[in-house]
Amino acid sequence: MMADSALVLFSGGQDSTTCLAWALTRFARVETVGFDYGQRHHAELEARQRIFGALRRSFPEWAPRLGEDHLFTLDVLKQIGGSALTDSTAIEMGANGLPTSFVPGRNVLFLTTAAALGYRRGICDLVGGMCETDFSGYPDCREKTVNAVAVALTMALDRPVTVHTPLMRIDKAETWRLAEELGGEALIDIIRQETVTCYEGDRIHEHAWGFGCGVCPACDLRAKGYAKYCTDLDQRAQEG
Ligand code: ZN
């Protein structure tokens, strides 16, 4: 088994792109897995190939480590439905205290699928962008949940499964900062230009923080995080 390999859950968004860069600085070989689960738009999935290309061009030292990409269809989430991410309902706060963008079971299903793929590929280190400091409060993004899933998968596969979550305890401003630490301005530019976080998949409206509708909760979070990152950057420049 290759201990120096990792499998990154890579959607084409800001968080998973930062996780991919994180893995590329730590593992000799990095494979990626993405999921088509009937999202409202395909902008994120289309971004994935652009991001691979940009990373290979801007980071020649990472290029040889970037291995196979896998894309799976998980129609079952769309079939179950009821989420604003798979159905054309509004993204708002639901009666259960969670945004209607919550897709029940999504991350558990993703991690299970990734671990099964890892089993076949001889990879036991998974990397995911789950984050519990996020506004959403998705219960399947919490550290406790992710750790419990890792334990369950280790038992189910009878092989150690580790889930690395480099973003778990940091906020969106710190996620930009982490990207800067990992790949400098070049990585910040790739994230700004190529990644899609917007719930509407908007690639028309350009902002300082990248493309997006600018009004959905995901754009709002990304914009605020970027603004704070820039403020912190100015502060660091003044201090240093
Ligand atoms: Zn948006």
Side-chain angles (χ1 to χ4, degrees):
M1 213 179 307
M2 291 192 296
D4 58 348
S5 298
L7 177 63
V8 179
L9 281 75
F10 179 60
S11 69
Q14 176 184 356
D15 291 350
S16 66
T17 301
T18 307
C19 286
L20 177 55
W22 182 89
L24 286 165
T25 60
R26 279 164 179 79
F27 294 88
R29 187 177 165 78
V30 177
E31 298 193 8
T32 46
V33 60
F35 301 104
D36 182 350
Y37 60 95
Q39 293 93 317
R40 293 216 288 201
H41 57 78
H42 275 92
E44 256 191 324
L45 293 179
E46 286 160 12
R48 297 171 84 253
Q49 298 305 322
R50 289 200 310 270
I51 295 164
F52 291 139
L55 288 176
R56 286 195 174 97
R57 278 192 303 276
S58 296
F59 298 95
E61 69 278 25
W62 291 354
R65 299 182 200 162
L66 194 51
E68 237 170 280
D69 177 48
H70 312 266
L71 187 66
F72 293 131
T73 305
L74 289 175
D75 284 337
V76 65
L77 292 173
K78 172 86 174 164
Q79 280 178 273
I80 294 166
S83 164
L85 287 197
T86 52
D87 303 348
S88 47
T89 51
I91 296 167
E92 55 198 9
M93 200 50 83
N96 57 359
L98 286 173
T100 51
S101 51
F102 178 55
V103 182
R106 180 175 58 169
N107 280 340
V108 177
L109 192 58
F110 285 1
L111 287 169
T112 304
T113 308
L117 173 67
Y119 187 92
R120 291 293 180 218
R121 309 280 308 159
I123 304 173
C124 27
D125 287 275
L126 310 180
V127 183
M130 292 69 124
C131 168
E132 67 179 22
T133 49
D134 217 337
F135 79 109
S136 58
Y138 295 155
D140 58 347
C141 287
R142 290 183 194 138
E143 193 163 28
K144 268 187 174 176
T145 309
V146 174
N147 288 345
V149 172
V151 170
L153 288 169
T154 296
M155 293 170 76
L157 300 177
D158 198 18
R159 183 180 286 191
V161 175
T162 305
V163 183
H164 303 269
T165 51
L167 312 184
M168 183 56 80
R169 292 175 179 194
I170 65 177
D171 66 19
K172 290 290 169 192
E174 291 165 323
T175 301
W176 285 104
R177 176 77 195 273
L178 176 61
E180 187 202 315
E181 285 167 12
L182 293 167
E185 194 58 32
L187 184 59
I188 295 284
D189 279 346
I190 291 171
I191 290 173
R192 217 163 24 200
Q193 291 297 317
E194 306 297 356
T195 67
V196 177
T197 308
C198 176
Y199 282 144
E200 306 299 335
D202 184 314
R203 287 281 298 163
I204 299 163
H205 301 95
E206 192 174 1
H207 315 263
W209 44 267
F211 290 94
C213 72
V215 290
C216 78
C219 280
D220 187 48
L221 194 68
R222 176 159 161 158
K224 282 180 180 153
Y226 188 74
K228 185 168 180 293
Y229 161 71
C230 291
T231 309
D232 293 348
L233 206 61
D234 290 344
Q235 212 163 4
R236 274 191 284 147
Q238 279 168 19
E239 285 166 8

